[in-house]
Amino acid sequence: MKGCFEMFMFLGIISVLAFLVFTGMSIKSIFRPKLRNKKLYVALPLTFIMFCTFAFLDGGNDKTVNTTNKQVASKVEEKKAAILPVVAKPTTVKKEATLALGELKVHYIDVGQADSILVQQGTQNMLIDAGNNADDKLVVDYLNKQGVKKIDVLIGTHTDEDHIGGLDTVIKTFDIGKIYMPKAVSTTDTFKDVILAIKAKNMKISVPKVGEIFKIGNSECTIIAPNALTYGNDNNYSIITKLKFGNKSFIFMGDAEDISEGQILAKQLDISADVIKIGHHGSDTSTTQEFLDAVNPKYAVISVGKGNSYGHPTQLVMDRLKAKNIEVYRTDENGTVIATSNGEDISFNVKPASYNGFEEKVAVKNEATVVSKSVVVVVPKTVVKPTPKPSVKPKQTNSSVMVWLSATGTKYHSINNCGRMNPDNARQITLEEAKSGGYSPCSKCSPPQ
């Protein structure tokens, strides 16, 4: 094509030169009559022929140029087509990355006034706590229904029975990868059962280190607390973890209280999250305003027993959540709560619950309203703190000594409100009956032995 183009250019130049020469000859013949008869009739036809030849060649040249231009335009379009996918690549890559992440599921299992959370991503599973002693079968059955064969990471947040009660049964039932528990001990039978179950499998406890990272499938978990070696309250030993999956994140608080929260804030750790498992079942000892502001979640989940005697969740915490327009899900109203995420969005299996909490139990006198003309004066409420319920000493009978049992647990007590016992649910039996029933003495209230 390039050779033809050059040939047409050459012939075009020759035609122009010939046209100029013969045009000059024709003009000359006009002014020289002697040459008119001899040259005029030769010059004019030749000039016309050369002009037509030039026009024809020029037209052919235009076609050649047009053909060349079309080919160039076609190549430009091909390059554009090659470039356009590159421009659209970020969206495509984003969708592909989301698909590659898979699906994350976080199950906040309804174990009443206790905690148990199953995290599933890909083929891996993490279990945080396992409810009360009486919840062990419930937790195991739930895990089986979710197709769990192996628990890659097992976390006992702290030594309280309502968190590690079912842990020993879980350890005996499933293949376990790694076990995290805080560096804290307890004299309870519940704690001893967990330790024996771990030893029976020749496993060791991993003590959490703040900043430590481990994977559950494509999700990344970071240990946030505890941040001290010793605490005066077992709850503050709670292992706090933050899970990140794609652009979404979850934080699991255990029973951590304001002291642990304050230490986290002091260290300026990254605790921002989309979903928070509220600490200590919604107690006012946890979820301080400063901590909640730092997490700044969109959703909150509270694991709490329906009609519990502890006053959980407190209205103070619920009001804080409501003020920030945080959607609340709670096991006492919703049952088991399941959060599902693809790394870009989070959905729940149930509708948001209420912001109803328990008020502080105080005696309140009725308001007296005094009306004077158009002014209404409201006399402030008089708040009277209740007198603490006295410890009830065991009854002595002529035949035997009486002791107290809690609604759950394996210890007998000298009083009906030892530790976290609910005096309303406590019952009395004889010391002989307690011993024959397999109950052992509490180390805190020193009952008769």
Side-chain angles (χ1 to χ4, degrees), residues 51 65 119 182 188-189 202 205 240 253 292 314 318 344 442 445:
F51 178 79
V65 172
V119 177
T188 65
D189 289 339
N202 295 317
I205 295 173
I240 299 176
M253 297 297 299
L292 189 61
T314 60
M318 301 309 294
E344 294 295 328
C442 173
C445 60

Side-chain angles (χ1 to χ4, degrees), residues 52 60 96 111 144 175 202 204 221 237 264 339 377 382 393:
C52 291
E96 290 177 352
V111 285
N144 283 326
D175 184 16
N202 295 317
K204 293 183 178 180
C221 298
Y237 282 101
I264 293 170
V377 180
T382 303
K393 296 292 182 180

Side-chain angles (χ1 to χ4, degrees), residues 13-30 35 38-54:
I13 293 170
I14 296 300
S15 298
V16 171
L17 292 175
F19 177 76
L20 294 174
V21 170
F22 290 118
T23 300
M25 290 175 64
S26 299
I27 294 171
K28 187 176 180 182
S29 66
I30 292 172
L35 299 174
K38 294 181 179 181
K39 296 180 179 178
L40 178 61
Y41 300 106
V42 176
L44 287 176
L46 287 174
T47 300
F48 178 75
I49 291 170
M50 295 306 295
F51 178 79
C52 291
T53 302
F54 171 73

